[in-house]
Amino acid sequence: MSPSTILGYAARAAGQPLEPFTYEPPALGEHDVRVSITHCGVCHTDIHAVDDYYGITTYPFVPGHEIVGYVSAVGREASGLKEGDRVGIGWQGRSCGQCEWCLKGEEQLCMDIVQAATWLPYGGFSSSVIVDSRFAYPLPDAMPSEFASALMCAGITVYSPLRSFAAAPSRKIGIIGVGGLGHLALQFARALGYEVTAISSSPEKKEQALAFGAHHFVVSDQASLSELEFTFDLLLCTASGKIDWVPLLDTLKKDCKLILVGFPDVEFNSTDLVAHQLSITTSFLGNRARMREMLSFAHAQAITPAIELMPMSQVNEALQKVRENKARYRIVLVNETEGTRT
Ligand SMILES: [Zn+2]
Ligand SMILES: [Zn+2]
């Protein structure tokens, strides 16, 4: 094993537990940086990819895309970063740079997005990762690495649509789900000036939802939601799995929007949408400018992810907790190899 050998945790086949996996670092492209990983958050998308839910996973597969670490090597043409800089990296680690979306600065919509994933060839549950330097973001000095880690995917995922659709202050928003994404959405929405209602199937989350910034809390049962008919200007759904949509849609004012950022099961009767002229829209990651803006906004507004730290060697226990919805609210894996800076 050479000194540059990378130690990661890989699934060998769909749905399998991760196993230690070593590999030689891929060649450093001229715009690339190599980053020695100290922290990596666990996202539902990692589990979907391990399970090949999207039908695009190649094995052995090393998940992980909420990365914080230190730059350990810099490609010839990479500018703006130097060895030793602390950076964050999210789901997107590169882009084609040539399609209409990349040329417009909307790289998250790159036509080659599948190839743009940070986890190709291998992701952040690992000692190092190589990405295009333009997708490695310098972090505010005082921001704890575990906070930055959770912001790199969960943070940008909720911040971007809240920013895009924010308009007049005191717009009423309902945030569906108080979990890894939802607990950050409550904080960002409050800081952006919305009147925020947390909507959760778990009544025991009320106190925490209010502490995260919600003005109001409602349990997502039919009786409670029926009291909120025509209340919200915007609904942001951060939950996944099965959802009873009809009473939720009835809480939207006419001609307003539901935004999906997670991957819930959707089943709508078109009448429920058309008769109130409702729109459903979605949001995927954010462009590079939005990513930098999100980090500085989070820092200025003291957005505080609720983090459970676990050693990276316990990656399978961490994934299991996320599968069972038991993470409170984001698990961040800490690399025991920190300090060796491979
Ligand atoms: Zn993610
Ligand atoms: Zn592109």
Side-chain angles (χ1 to χ4, degrees):
M1 205 160 79
S2 81
S4 61
T5 302
I6 296 176
L7 169 63
Y9 293 89
R12 300 278 177 177
Q16 291 295 303
L18 307 194
E19 300 169 9
F21 171 69
T22 56
Y23 56 99
E24 292 308 311
L28 197 69
E30 46 185 28
H31 288 285
D32 289 348
V33 283
R34 178 167 163 161
V35 173
S36 178
I37 297 168
T38 59
H39 296 75
C40 190
V42 181
C43 177
H44 271 283
T45 307
D46 292 311
I47 291 169
H48 277 156
V50 165
D51 294 345
D52 200 18
Y53 175 85
Y54 310 109
I56 54 172
T57 308
T58 51
Y59 300 91
F61 172 67
V62 178
H65 59 273
E66 285 188 343
I67 297 169
V68 171
Y70 292 87
V71 173
S72 60
V74 182
R76 261 185 314 140
E77 298 290 326
S79 62
L81 290 175
K82 59 182 187 315
E83 268 187 54
D85 285 350
R86 190 175 66 127
V87 292
I89 300 164
W91 186 91
Q92 185 167 16
R94 56 192 65 81
S95 71
C96 85
Q98 292 162 5
C99 72
E100 60 170 315
W101 299 103
C102 285
L103 293 175
K104 272 198 266 197
E106 299 288 349
E107 305 89 354
Q108 80 282 11
L109 302 178
C110 178
M111 294 304 289
D112 217 4
I113 194 68
V114 172
Q115 297 305 317
T118 291
W119 58 42
L120 287 180
Y122 302 116
F125 296 171
S126 189
S127 57
S128 282
V129 70
I130 289 175
V131 296
D132 187 311
S133 57
R134 291 165 288 198
F135 292 85
Y137 302 91
L139 299 172
D141 284 342
M143 181 182 276
S145 291
E146 60 269 30
F147 288 6
S149 169
L151 293 173
M152 297 314 299
C153 180
I156 190 67
T157 295
V158 297
Y159 177 76
S160 193
L162 288 170
R163 264 285 274 118
S164 298
F165 297 105
S170 302
R171 286 184 99 196
K172 290 185 178 166
I173 188 168
I175 309 275
I176 305 167
V178 182
L181 293 172
H183 90 286
L184 291 175
L186 295 173
Q187 296 184 51
F188 277 122
R190 176 74 180 243
L192 285 162
Y194 288 94
E195 183 177 334
V196 185
T197 300
I199 304 172
S200 169
S201 57
S202 315
E204 69 275 10
K205 286 187 175 170
K206 177 174 181 177
E207 209 171 303
Q208 276 195 294
L210 298 177
F212 289 135
H215 296 90
H216 318 283
F217 178 90
V218 63
V219 179
S220 55
D221 59 39
Q222 193 131 18
S224 312
L225 291 172
S226 67
E227 290 173 21
L228 297 178
E229 276 182 17
F230 302 113
T231 296
F232 298 118
D233 298 289
L234 207 56
L235 276 177
L236 177 72
C237 181
T238 69
S240 50
K242 230 179 141 36
I243 289 173
D244 185 5
W245 286 105
V246 174
L248 282 168
L249 291 177
D250 285 345
T251 66
L252 271 175
K253 291 179 188 166
K254 293 192 179 192
D255 200 24
C256 283
K257 278 190 179 58
L258 163 67
I259 309 169
L260 303 178
V261 290
F263 300 103
D265 300 336
V266 284
E267 216 174 273
F268 299 108
N269 180 332
S270 55
T271 312
D272 296 324
L273 297 173
V274 177
H276 293 177
Q277 202 172 295
L278 301 179
S279 316
I280 303 175
T281 186
T282 63
S283 178
F284 182 60
L285 309 176
N287 64 22
R288 291 186 293 148
R290 186 58 65 80
M291 189 71 115
R292 286 173 184 267
E293 178 193 299
M294 180 275 297
L295 286 167
S296 72
F297 183 85
H299 184 51
Q301 298 289 331
I303 301 295
T304 308
I307 300 295
E308 191 177 340
L309 290 174
M310 291 177 75
M312 198 171 288
S313 55
Q314 288 179 18
V315 61
N316 287 311
E317 289 87 331
L319 290 176
Q320 193 55 32
K321 274 187 118 167
V322 177
R323 281 184 192 277
E324 293 169 2
N325 266 329
K326 288 187 178 156
R328 293 291 178 274
Y329 282 82
R330 202 65 161 177
I331 295 176
V332 173
L333 300 171
V334 182
N335 224 332
E336 302 90 324
T337 57
E338 181 182 3
T340 56
R341 303 277 163 89
T342 51

